[in-house]
């Protein structure tokens, strides 16, 4: 009897082993080996971003500091508080426009074109996309993400300017004013100088009127000021307009980027 039981047990074990080899699903789940969970794909490293500085040649004349005012027209409407002050006080400035802003503000574009002695119009891109050629987020804005997309942002902005009757641009400033070094090389190869700055006047138009006025009015000989001319409902615009009058009263010499020599870091103007 024992021999029969042993033989039966051996036969059952052999059959179970054979089933496991041929049909794994026939083996009870508890007896099957569970594969290890797949490791998550490694994340791509964030691109190294730079925010270039730009300075212009100083006047070196006491009481007559030379300052370049630059304004970004990203999206939205024209800020008449700033625009009317520039025209009334005959203060020259360089305006960086996007294709989106041009489309929405034909009256302001007309003012620029009617005052060529005051306004230099330059390229701020087609859709206000950061000129970074690898995917990332900058202040919550998705970058262009590829060299081809950077080129489209630059070329699309320039094409819209020419279509609006504006002379072909020579300067480019991308959304957020941040770039990776490879995108800087690509834009420079397209023939553009890249406009950094040395004084952040209005913090992206998010600062209050008082602090904005103080920041811009503190500009020194050789500074390039960045502010915005597309947020008429923000308090910063009031501060910008007051600061322009402050600087003029101090004897500041205002210049456009096209009228003076400049020096930018990160190979943005070399």
């Amino acid at each position: 009897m024992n021999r029969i039981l042993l033989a039966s047990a051996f036969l059952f074990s052999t059959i179970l082993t054979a089933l496991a080899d041929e049909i794994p699903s026939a083996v009870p789940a508890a007896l099957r080996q569970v594969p290890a969970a797949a490791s998550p794909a490694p994340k791509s490293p964030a691109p190294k971003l730079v925010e270039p500085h730009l300075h212009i040649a100083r006047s070196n004349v006491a009481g007559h500091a030379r300052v370049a005012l630059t304004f970004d027209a990203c999206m939205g409407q024209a800020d008449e508080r700033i625009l009317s002050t520039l025209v009334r006080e005959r203060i020259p400035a360089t305006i960086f426009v996007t294709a989106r802003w041009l489309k929405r503000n034909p009256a302001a574009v007309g003012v620029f074109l009617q005052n060529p002695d005051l306004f230099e119009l330059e390229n701020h891109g087609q859709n206000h996309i950061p000129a970074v050629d690898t995917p990332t987020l900058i202040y919550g804005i998705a970058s262009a993400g590829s060299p081809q997309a950077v080129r489209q942002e630059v070329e699309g902005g320039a094409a819209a300017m020419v279509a609006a009757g504006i002379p072909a641009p020579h300067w480019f400033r991308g959304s957020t004013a941040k770039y990776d070094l490879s995108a800087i090389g690509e834009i420079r190869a397209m023939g553009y100088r890249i406009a950094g700055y040395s004084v952040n006047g209005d913090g992206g138009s998010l600062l209050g009127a008082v602090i904005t006025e103080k920041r811009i009015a503190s500009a020194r000989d050789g500074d390039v000021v960045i502010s915005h001319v597309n947020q008429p409902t923000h308090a910063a615009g009031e501060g910008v307009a007051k600061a322009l009058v402050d600087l003029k009263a101090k004897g500041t010499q205002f210049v456009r980027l096209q009228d003076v020599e400049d020096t930018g870091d990160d190979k943005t103007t070399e």
Side-chain angles (χ1 to χ4, degrees):
M1 176 65 70
N2 290 337
R3 289 180 179 179
I4 295 174
L5 290 173
L6 288 172
S8 298
F10 176 78
L11 179 61
F12 177 77
S13 176
T14 302
I15 293 171
L16 185 61
T17 300
L19 286 172
D21 289 340
E22 298 296 331
I23 312 175
S25 61
V27 182
L31 299 180
R32 282 186 263 128
Q33 183 177 3
V34 178
S39 300
K43 293 183 178 179
S44 301
K48 179 182 178 181
L49 302 181
V50 296
E51 192 167 357
H53 294 92
L54 180 67
H55 288 86
I56 57 171
R58 298 176 181 177
S59 71
N60 292 319
V61 178
H64 295 281
R66 180 181 292 156
V67 172
L69 299 172
T70 68
F71 293 93
D72 288 358
C74 312
M75 295 168 282
Q77 303 296 327
D79 191 332
E80 292 296 336
R81 296 168 299 180
I82 300 172
L83 185 54
S84 63
T85 301
L86 292 169
V87 174
R88 182 183 68 250
E89 301 293 334
R90 307 310 294 170
I91 296 175
T94 302
I95 315 294
F96 286 86
V97 296
T98 66
R100 296 173 67 176
W101 189 88
L102 288 174
K103 185 176 180 180
R104 295 188 63 179
N105 295 276
V109 174
V111 172
F112 292 146
L113 295 177
Q114 291 162 16
N115 293 274
D117 58 321
L118 294 182
F119 300 114
E120 171 191 2
L121 299 179
E122 297 292 353
N123 189 357
H124 196 33
Q126 182 175 19
N127 290 309
H128 201 247
I129 296 173
V132 174
D133 60 16
T134 54
T136 191
L137 289 177
I138 307 171
Y139 304 133
I141 305 174
S143 66
S146 70
Q148 295 78 13
V150 169
R151 175 174 288 274
Q152 178 59 44
E153 175 70 1
V154 177
E155 291 183 341
M161 293 177 69
V162 173
I166 300 168
H170 301 286
W171 286 87
F172 177 80
R173 175 183 285 156
S175 167
T176 75
K178 292 182 182 288
Y179 315 83
D180 53 352
L181 295 179
S182 54
I184 287 176
E186 293 155 13
I187 297 166
R188 292 289 290 124
M190 297 171 66
Y192 287 89
R193 303 170 79 78
I194 297 175
Y197 60 90
S198 59
V199 175
N200 186 338
D202 62 1
S205 193
L206 298 177
L207 298 178
V210 174
I211 186 62
T212 296
E213 180 182 3
K214 289 182 177 179
R215 281 194 178 195
I216 298 176
S218 70
R220 299 180 178 180
D221 199 12
D223 271 334
V224 175
V225 179
I226 182 176
S227 296
H228 292 75
V229 71
N230 65 299
Q231 296 289 357
T233 64
H234 290 193
E238 178 185 347
V240 172
K242 289 182 178 179
L244 300 180
V245 177
D246 295 343
L247 285 172
K248 184 178 180 181
K250 289 164 54 176
T252 301
Q253 176 190 352
F254 297 104
V255 295
R256 302 170 299 183
L257 294 182
Q258 68 183 26
D259 298 328
V260 68
E261 294 182 357
D262 53 75
T263 303
D265 56 16
D266 296 308
K267 299 183 178 180
T268 51
T269 61
E270 293 180 3

